[in-house]
Amino acid sequence: MRLLVTGGAGFIGSNFVRHIVNTYPDWQIVNFDKLTYAGNLANLHDVESSDGYSFVQGDIADREAVAKLFSDLAPEAVVNFAAESHVDRSILDASAFIETNIKGTQVLLEAARQCPVERFVQVSTDEVYGALGEEGVFTEQSPLQPNSPYAASKTAADVLCMAYRKTYDIPVVITRSSNNYGPYQFPEKLIPLMIRNALSGKKLPVYGQGRQVRDWLFVDDNCRAIHEVLLKGRPGEVYNIGGDCERRNIEIVELICDILASKVDEPRSFRELITFIEDPRGAAHDFRYALDCSKLQRELGWKPSVGLEEGLERTVDWYLENQAWVESVITGEYQEYYQKVYGGR
Ligand code: NAD
Ligand code: DAU
């Protein structure tokens, strides 16, 4: 198998590359990544010298670079993780989200049209469905009602994928997953940000009252699901991938505080650091996500295997052991970004 993975130096992409390299030592896997602030080759230090694996730095929105990549590799399958992925950044400035998430996806689809592939897996998100109230779940048939610029850009990419499937018969399969967490997540997202801030004695900024609900999925479970979809997903279909682990944000933050308190030498009350701040997402803050994943379970036999308490403990352990990684991936740009979202709140 010649597999092209885009965005393989990011959080989920690097976990997926590691999973595939370890599962199929004889596959040829090319990781194509622009290395934005969120992409780090350090995430792949343990697989970079594996025989079948190689890295190419490039931008999925660069038509010529992508055309060359396809003609050099002639990939049999593509898994597109490459994206701008953070909602708060999309609210500050949506431009890069339009360029990468929409134009970049179209460039990849066009390349797959010129140089046919057997599978094109588009890694999408539950945010395309919009927000739920206290009740209900999204199925693959739920209407697309994105609220943030990030969600809108991912929705546009999904719709383009479906149009390319209908118009040119590109064998596109879309996965829509809930909130991932685990090793190598950039510390702008809720869980790693709270762990880092707590360990540095900084405030733990919870938006609003922390009442929003997310469905948490351990990243390895998502990688297994994407693997199944790559092998056996039906072209033209969408598969929801959820963790069956709904929690309010405040519950997650409190749980992180308690796990951390049980791990550090000097007992500390990390909960005292919790600070409720004015919500920087405003009306674009989706209240609740929840997914019906019965299609994936029925058709491909997948279900999540890591519960929240176990997954969070493994995540906290990883961040405790890899504090140097955290400090190495954040730069002056991170401090500027942090100031823009949290400063003054
Ligand atoms: P991430 O931000 O950690 O990583 C994104 C990667 O894409 C980085 O390595 C970055 O360098 C690369 N990239 C960005 N722009 C690029 C471009 N123009 N060309 C090539 N590479 C580029 O993101 P993540 O959290 O790992 O998410 C991966 C995918 O999964 C995204 O498509 C995201 O929308 C989707 N997703 C994420 C979650 C989640 O909880 N993190 C949940 C559902 C779906
Ligand atoms: O649902 C899937 C989506 O999950 C993915 O498509 C996105 O790429 C991924 O970033 C994630 O989006 P969220 O916006 O849900 O994740 P985030 O970790 O940024 O925030 C989770 C919740 O925590 C959300 O309700 C906002 C809140 N939050 C977040 C941060 C960073 C806080 O209260 N404080 C914070 O500092």
Side-chain angles (χ1 to χ4, degrees), residues 30-63:
V30 173
N31 172 14
F32 185 75
D33 196 299
K34 186 177 175 181
L35 299 184
T36 66
Y37 77 91
N40 292 287
L41 290 179
N43 299 6
L44 289 160
H45 63 96
D46 52 334
V47 296
E48 65 194 2
S49 54
S50 306
D51 281 346
Y53 170 78
S54 58
F55 172 72
V56 177
Q57 185 168 6
D59 183 343
I60 58 164
D62 179 341
R63 213 170 285 279

Side-chain angles (χ1 to χ4, degrees), residues 249-259 271 274 276:
N249 293 337
I250 186 65
E251 294 177 75
I252 292 289
V253 178
E254 288 176 349
L255 194 49
I256 291 171
C257 289
D258 296 348
I259 297 175
R271 284 190 184 214
I274 294 174
F276 296 99

Side-chain angles (χ1 to χ4, degrees), residues 185-203:
Q185 187 166 32
F186 192 78
E188 64 190 353
K189 307 281 168 34
L190 179 74
I191 289 177
L193 185 141
M194 293 299 163
I195 297 173
R196 174 176 188 264
N197 280 19
L199 289 173
S200 321
K202 290 173 72 173
K203 289 179 179 169

Side-chain angles (χ1 to χ4, degrees), residues 216-322:
W216 294 96
L217 173 66
F218 193 64
V219 65
D220 289 0
D221 277 333
N222 191 21
C223 292
R224 276 195 308 110
I226 294 170
H227 178 182
E228 290 298 325
V229 169
L230 169 67
L231 298 184
K232 295 182 260 170
R234 286 185 293 134
E237 295 295 318
V238 174
Y239 294 91
N240 286 345
I241 310 173
D244 199 16
C245 246
E246 286 184 54
R247 294 288 190 284
R248 293 196 194 282
N249 293 337
I250 186 65
E251 294 177 75
I252 292 289
V253 178
E254 288 176 349
L255 194 49
I256 291 171
C257 289
D258 296 348
I259 297 175
L260 274 172
S262 73
K263 305 252 171 205
V264 294
D265 293 339
E266 267 175 51
R268 269 180 273 168
S269 171
F270 291 103
R271 284 190 184 214
E272 284 170 6
L273 298 171
I274 294 174
T275 308
F276 296 99
I277 65 167
E278 181 202 343
D279 192 341
R281 297 189 185 184
H285 197 168
D286 291 335
F287 177 68
R288 174 172 165 260
Y289 307 132
L291 290 173
D292 175 341
C293 304
S294 53
K295 181 175 174 182
L296 187 61
Q297 190 159 351
R298 199 174 52 248
E299 289 190 15
L300 305 183
W302 177 93
K303 56 180 185 197
S305 67
V306 181
L308 183 73
E309 280 71 17
E310 179 198 338
L312 255 191
E313 181 155 359
R314 281 166 64 176
T315 304
V316 167
D317 283 343
W318 189 87
Y319 280 89
L320 279 169
E321 283 158 22
N322 291 278

Side-chain angles (χ1 to χ4, degrees), residues 85 125-127 150 179 190 205 207 214 249 281 285 342:
S85 69
T125 167
D126 59 3
E127 298 204 10
Y150 161 72
N179 287 58
L190 179 74
Y207 299 171
R214 295 292 181 267
N249 293 337
R281 297 189 185 184
H285 197 168
Y342 301 94

